[in-house]
Amino acid sequence: MSRYPTLRSCGYELDRTIGTGGFGKVKLATHTLTGEKVAIKIMDKTKLGKDLPRVKLEISALKNLSHPNICKLYQVIETESHCYVVMEYCSGGELFDHIVEKSRLSEMESRMFFRQIISAVSYLHDNGYAHRDLKPENVLLDREQNLKIIDFGLCAKPQGGMDSLLLTSCGSPTYAAPELIQGVKYHGSEVDIWSMGVILYALLCGCLPFESDNIDELFKKILKGKYIEPGWLSSGSKRLLRRMLCVDPLKRIRISELINDPWISLGFGCPPSTKNHNVDRCKDTECLEVISQYCEIDKEIIWSRISKWKYDSETATYLLLLNKKKYGAPLVLK
Ligand SMILES: CN(C)C[C@H]1CC[C@H](N2C(=O)N(C)Cc3cnc4ccc(-c5cc(Cl)c(O)c(Cl)c5)nc4c32)CC1
């Protein structure tokens, strides 16, 4: 008998555990109606304690975000004891493992991945969010090697907008900006740029710019902002890294400059997309028709319920059908 009867009754067949964290575990599952694979983050509310606000924050952020390079939310299921967050399954694993596998990536492959991160982070910032915990472990790949940013448990949506200052020190020290580890007030957008610089360095060099087993040593290195520039780095990539890993946040490159940096457009002929994807909540009559026929309910009534975006079972079925359509899979419900 499954340990999570709720999930089976909500239309999911659980498979193996694909990861764990302080929050609980993430399991692979299949959405029975569409046959699509999903990742379900399972949290025991009685054990979350002080982490409960982080869970609520992440769910609220994921409900507001819709971008091809941000992990999609399909459904949220809450019981007395548990919270289940049903999300897009990223079968390509962690970006970090991809880098380790290839020891380091070519400039072109690094650029191809990094442009997707720029597109996602500029969308995040445009919508008033700072991620604050960007690192290769929080960047996954889907089956087509598209990047998906995950883990919004530390993200911030400052009350006064992206120009207001934050103070909470959070995220992993290895990727944390100098101002963040110093405990001074900082802008969320600026600390994200620093973390993106660490990720770009990892892509191009196959190692981290600031490393030490001793936390004090690590902090000293970050505050000095000095790192090794391997011989294979082009002058363009060295220049860009210096502008991102700039200790003074006021002199650090801004996302708008990053988007238009010449190194980023090399070989692509244009800057990364900064399109606002909230329009992805479009009405797809083909998918509505499939649900309407399956439930034998008029599709306008179905749409009136789905367009409330309650992230219930109807939202999940609709979004998963949209996914199938995107991959050219047959639009059928079992
Ligand atoms: C180390 N972390 C604190 C947890 C780790 C758990 C496994 C997970 N994962 C993996 O590590 N694969 C290798 C497989 C995999 C596949 N699809 C996934 C889809 C979504 C997520 C996900 C996980 C968490 Cl904790 C989130 O907050 C969000 Cl928004 C999304 N994780 C996935 C995931 C990556 C993170």
Side-chain angles (χ1 to χ4, degrees):
M1 178 61 182
S2 156
R3 274 202 62 198
Y4 304 102
T6 305
L7 288 174
R8 178 185 285 267
S9 63
C10 286
Y12 295 97
E13 278 304 318
L14 277 187
D15 195 319
R16 68 185 189 284
T17 296
I18 48 180
T20 56
F23 56 88
K25 63 177 77 169
V26 177
K27 288 180 90 67
L28 174 62
T30 300
H31 179 253
T32 316
L33 272 184
T34 59
E36 286 290 281
K37 288 196 182 319
V38 295
I40 303 183
K41 188 173 177 179
I42 300 173
M43 294 160 280
D44 180 334
K45 290 197 293 193
T46 60
K47 292 182 185 153
L48 275 177
K50 63 176 178 31
D51 279 348
L52 189 61
R54 273 186 66 169
V55 171
K56 300 280 182 209
L57 178 78
E58 177 173 66
I59 291 171
S60 159
L62 288 172
K63 283 182 176 178
N64 290 319
L65 297 168
S66 170
H67 186 278
N69 300 119
I70 290 175
C71 188
K72 255 181 198 29
L73 174 68
Y74 294 135
Q75 186 173 359
V76 179
I77 303 164
E78 280 215 57
T79 65
E80 270 299 293
S81 59
H82 283 80
C83 177
Y84 305 97
V85 181
V86 183
M87 296 172 284
E88 173 177 15
Y89 173 59
C90 305
S91 57
E94 287 183 16
L95 175 63
F96 201 84
D97 297 332
H98 186 79
I99 299 170
V100 168
E101 210 175 278
K102 304 183 91 172
S103 81
R104 63 181 166 93
L105 307 186
S106 69
E107 274 213 6
M108 201 47 184
E109 192 176 8
S110 301
R111 185 177 293 118
M112 186 267 292
F113 282 133
F114 197 62
R115 284 168 61 95
Q116 295 178 61
I117 294 175
I118 293 174
S119 177
V121 174
S122 92
Y123 167 81
L124 266 179
H125 291 179
D126 286 351
N127 283 274
Y129 287 95
H131 187 282
R132 298 199 297 179
D133 194 18
L134 289 172
K135 54 188 176 183
E137 299 91 319
N138 281 344
V139 180
L140 303 181
L141 298 165
D142 72 3
R143 56 182 142 186
E144 296 185 328
Q145 298 256 308
N146 296 312
L147 287 194
K148 303 285 176 180
I149 292 181
I150 64 161
D151 203 343
F152 290 78
L154 290 175
C155 77
K157 189 175 174 91
Q159 297 298 326
M162 291 305 278
D163 292 337
S164 57
L165 289 164
L166 297 160
L167 185 60
T168 324
S169 181
C170 54
S172 322
T174 308
Y175 307 93
E179 64 272 21
L180 203 152
I181 63 175
Q182 280 179 304
V184 298
K185 290 195 170 195
Y186 61 87
H187 285 111
S189 50
E190 291 163 358
V191 300
D192 280 349
I193 293 285
W194 174 278
S195 304
M196 287 165 77
V198 176
I199 291 175
L200 180 59
Y201 186 96
L203 289 166
L204 291 165
C205 306
C207 59
L208 295 167
F210 313 105
E211 271 191 302
S212 172
D213 298 335
N214 174 298
I215 192 80
D216 294 329
E217 275 311 303
L218 176 62
F219 279 16
K220 274 188 201 143
K221 289 183 178 179
I222 293 170
L223 294 175
K224 265 174 75 178
K226 295 284 173 255
Y227 53 87
I228 293 167
E229 291 182 331
W232 60 74
L233 287 180
S234 69
S235 53
S237 52
K238 278 189 278 195
R239 188 182 50 79
L240 180 56
L241 282 167
R242 284 179 208 147
R243 296 196 65 200
M244 299 187 80
L245 297 174
C246 173
V247 172
D248 181 350
L250 296 175
K251 293 184 184 140
R252 197 173 303 151
I253 192 170
R254 314 196 64 74
I255 193 90
S256 51
E257 299 167 295
L258 180 56
I259 288 166
N260 296 306
D261 183 275
W263 186 87
I264 295 293
S265 295
L266 264 181
F268 288 82
C270 63
S273 154
T274 55
K275 180 170 158 288
N276 193 330
H277 293 267
N278 293 335
V279 294
D280 281 5
R281 295 187 159 175
C282 59
K283 179 178 181 179
D284 184 289
T285 45
E286 206 179 346
C287 292
L288 285 174
E289 192 56 49
V290 171
I291 298 173
S292 162
Q293 283 174 13
Y294 182 83
C295 306
E296 294 175 349
I297 298 172
D298 174 70
K299 71 172 183 290
E300 289 313 317
I301 296 172
I302 298 279
W303 179 243
S304 69
R305 295 187 332 210
I306 286 175
S307 55
K308 290 187 174 64
W309 300 108
K310 291 183 287 187
Y311 289 91
D312 57 11
S313 58
E314 285 185 331
T315 306
T317 303
Y318 180 72
L319 290 176
L320 285 162
L321 278 176
L322 273 181
N323 236 22
K324 285 174 85 90
K325 184 171 178 178
K326 192 171 88 172
Y327 292 115
L331 294 186
V332 286
L333 294 178
K334 293 171 188 150

